[in-house]
Amino acid sequence: MKLIQNYIDGRFVPGKQEFDDVNPADGKVIARVTEAAEVQVNEAVAAARCALRGEWGRIGIRERAARLQRIADAIEKRFDCFVQAEVADTGKPVSLAAKLDVPRAAANFRVFADLVKMSGVEAFQTETSDGTGALNYAVRKPLGVVGVITPWNLPLLLLTWKVAPALACGNAVVVKPSEETPATATLLAEAMQDAGIPKGIYNVVHGFGPGSAGEFLTRHPDVNAITFTGESKTGAAIMKAVAPTVKPVSFELGGKNAAIVFADCNFEETINGISDAVFLNTGQVCLCAERVYIERKIFGAFVEALKQQAESLYAGWPNDAETNLGPLISAQHREKVLSYYRLAQEEGATVVTGGGIPKFGDDRDNGFYVQPTIYTGLPEAARCGKEEIFGPVCHIAPFDSEEEAVALANDTKYGLAASIWTGNLKRGHRVAQQMSVGITWVNCWFLRDLRTPFGGVGLSGIGREGGMHSLNFYSELNNICVKL
Ligand code: NAD
């Protein structure tokens, strides 16, 4: 059986213990993964620190950018391997991995390679009492060793979203991919070798969170910053762990996102857009809409049309080109989603469609599939309307006025994303600007320009990444004041 190893100081190394890597489509073990012991996390951090003193610390921005482009080339060269590794680990449809996950990984390196070459710094001419003046200018320096901790829903996409700007700024990284999806972070090590990234600059340690590689990394005194994507409660645990060593953190956390649909929307485009926003990646995208608010005039028609969309999704085998709905990531996550399906009914929901487990009559019955599910009729205070479920599920509620829709959408402790669907662009702008979130889409969803700020408010995160915001997080500015 294939063994997925840690990657430390340019070498693939086994750990002390192993755990299973399971294919969520049929529950079969596809590989064994070596869990990094604390001593190996320490070795990875030491290798990263040492590598910063070598070639990587001396080469200029132009050469760093060129190597980032070569990483993108190396990903594209191994495109099918990355797609297959991601499909096997997540169970997501091959069409999605080939269209979204892997191309975006390459794009992440290309965008930050370009950006870092174009980025400037601040400069100020300062008046002084003796009339000679002073010149202030900033220089951008890497943070040092960055710990990168990522989730399983878009494993390679989210990992490279952090690794690319961190490397662009001249840092070394120790990454801890999700225990559910270890393959592509390990494959990326081969792309790093192809691209001439010096040993020790990109390290991978496998394992879990508490008492394992994740915690060891966050507590490590020689790690200069932690960038994390995952659940809000994990973010809270990491904040505590980094407090004694006062590390900067960048947190991209959970969401309970709203979509607001006005009666003047383009109905067909909106149904397609909301269907993606609810069901893409089996609802396992932090930006997915779990709360859908519909102007009352079109409520009945909308619920019926979205029901048809949900029922037309095809949960085939992941490698079948027609498949557009995969399984959930694990048995444990399926149990969590099903517990919300049960809770919704206890809380008084009407099941429009779904609510259970599909039956296939083949090995997919051993996988972790659930039915795409739509509810109506929940009271606003219901837990199912407040807590992130992270599955192919939404609740649809009617509204009567723009003010009411805005108040409903903002009534959450999260604040990641929102989408507004209307034919009236004036209203689109007006409502979008009232959303308490990090990103609002008007008449679209998940359309990402990698130069734009990305992040959340409230329980959805701390800080912004994307474009210059990433460069600002992954570097320190040293202001130099010169008396003239
Ligand atoms: P998770 O928080 O359970 O795990 C994420 C990573 O953190 C994993 O690598 C895990 O091993 C590690 N981890 C867990 N506990 C830790 C600890 N105490 N110390 C250090 N590391 C620890 O999240 P998940 O279930 O893998 O991912 C789903 C969550 O991620 C959802 O809440 C989703 O909304 C969120 N997410 C957010 C964004 C965003 O951009 N805001 C993007 C994708 C996913």
Side-chain angles (χ1 to χ4, degrees), residues 150-152 176 179 214 228-231 234 252-254 286 388 454:
T150 49
W152 44 258
K176 210 299 279 170
E179 54 274 34
F228 167 72
T229 302
E231 280 191 36
T234 310
E252 297 180 330
L253 308 179
C286 54
E388 183 186 48
F454 183 85

Side-chain angles (χ1 to χ4, degrees), residues 218 220-221 223-226 239-249 476:
T218 55
H220 201 295
V223 169
N224 299 96
I226 292 288
M239 266 184 111
K240 280 191 199 141
V242 301
T245 45
V246 200
K247 295 187 213 317
V249 291
E476 298 277 19

Side-chain angles (χ1 to χ4, degrees), residues 122-124 135-140 476-482:
E122 295 161 276
F124 296 94
L135 178 63
N136 283 275
Y137 67 96
V139 288
R140 199 177 276 290
E476 298 277 19
L477 291 174
N478 173 7
N479 185 68
I480 295 167
C481 177
V482 183

Side-chain angles (χ1 to χ4, degrees), residues 371-427:
Q371 291 171 329
T373 297
I374 300 173
Y375 294 115
T376 56
L378 277 175
E380 260 310 299
R383 276 180 53 204
C384 284
K386 298 287 175 211
E387 298 170 13
E388 183 186 48
I389 301 172
F390 219 54
V393 53
C394 72
H395 178 252
I396 313 184
F399 68 85
D400 293 299
S401 70
E402 188 178 305
E403 296 69 34
E404 184 192 3
V406 169
L408 288 168
N410 282 339
D411 187 13
T412 170
K413 291 192 162 47
Y414 291 97
L416 188 57
S419 62
I420 318 294
W421 303 81
T422 174
N424 176 348
L425 266 189
K426 250 188 190 175
R427 172 154 58 196

Side-chain angles (χ1 to χ4, degrees), residues 41-334:
V41 175
N42 294 344
E43 280 166 17
V45 174
R49 173 74 48 210
C50 179
L52 287 170
R53 292 193 288 268
E55 183 199 8
W56 193 245
R58 289 192 298 272
I59 59 174
I61 287 179
R62 233 172 8 160
E63 178 57 24
R64 274 208 311 267
R67 298 211 195 167
L68 259 65
Q69 294 284 7
R70 277 193 252 152
I71 301 172
D73 294 342
I75 292 172
E76 284 161 359
K77 196 176 93 188
R78 294 154 193 271
F79 189 85
D80 292 338
C81 293
F82 275 106
V83 167
Q84 281 309 317
E86 208 70 309
V87 168
D89 267 4
T90 61
K92 70 176 67 194
V94 67
S95 57
L96 187 61
K99 217 170 62 191
L100 174 70
D101 299 72
V102 181
R104 252 295 295 280
N108 285 336
F109 285 102
R110 297 212 190 280
V111 162
F112 287 107
D114 286 344
L115 257 170
V116 74
K117 278 196 299 189
M118 304 296 289
S119 66
V121 285
E122 295 161 276
F124 296 94
Q125 290 185 27
T126 309
E127 291 178 15
T128 56
S129 54
D130 64 3
T132 62
L135 178 63
N136 283 275
Y137 67 96
V139 288
R140 199 177 276 290
K141 302 172 97 176
L143 293 168
V145 179
V146 178
V148 181
I149 302 178
T150 49
W152 44 258
N153 60 327
L154 302 164
L156 183 67
L157 185 160
L158 292 171
L159 182 91
T160 51
W161 172 242
K162 293 174 176 301
V163 169
L167 296 189
C169 290
N171 299 285
V173 296
V174 180
V175 311
K176 210 299 279 170
S178 169
E179 54 274 34
E180 307 284 0
T181 52
T184 46
T186 315
L187 205 49
L188 188 61
E190 294 178 19
M192 296 282 170
Q193 289 178 338
D194 280 9
I197 302 302
K199 67 187 176 80
I201 292 298
Y202 176 81
N203 303 278
V204 185
V205 289
H206 290 295
F208 305 84
S212 184
E215 188 190 325
F216 302 150
L217 201 52
T218 55
R219 277 204 274 106
H220 201 295
D222 217 18
V223 169
N224 299 96
I226 292 288
T227 179
F228 167 72
T229 302
E231 280 191 36
S232 303
K233 67 175 175 5
T234 310
I238 292 177
M239 266 184 111
K240 280 191 199 141
V242 301
T245 45
V246 200
K247 295 187 213 317
V249 291
S250 175
F251 281 173
E252 297 180 330
L253 308 179
K256 187 72 184 179
N257 309 304
I260 302 177
V261 179
F262 290 95
D264 62 4
C265 70
N266 177 319
F267 192 82
E268 205 179 324
E269 281 177 21
T270 303
I271 286 290
N272 289 334
I274 296 284
S275 177
D276 273 353
V278 175
F279 301 120
L280 190 88
N281 207 37
T282 318
Q284 302 168 119
V285 179
C286 54
L287 305 162
C288 277
E290 292 190 1
R291 299 180 295 137
V292 181
Y293 298 104
I294 310 289
E295 193 166 355
R296 197 177 298 275
K297 272 181 258 180
I298 59 163
F299 181 75
F302 189 94
V303 171
E304 182 52 35
L306 195 66
K307 171 180 189 284
Q308 282 176 24
Q309 286 271 355
E311 290 171 358
S312 71
L313 292 169
Y314 175 54
W317 284 98
N319 269 313
D320 179 341
E322 304 296 305
T323 298
N324 51 16
L325 187 78
L328 294 170
I329 190 68
S330 63
Q332 191 190 1
H333 186 53
R334 179 164 77 170

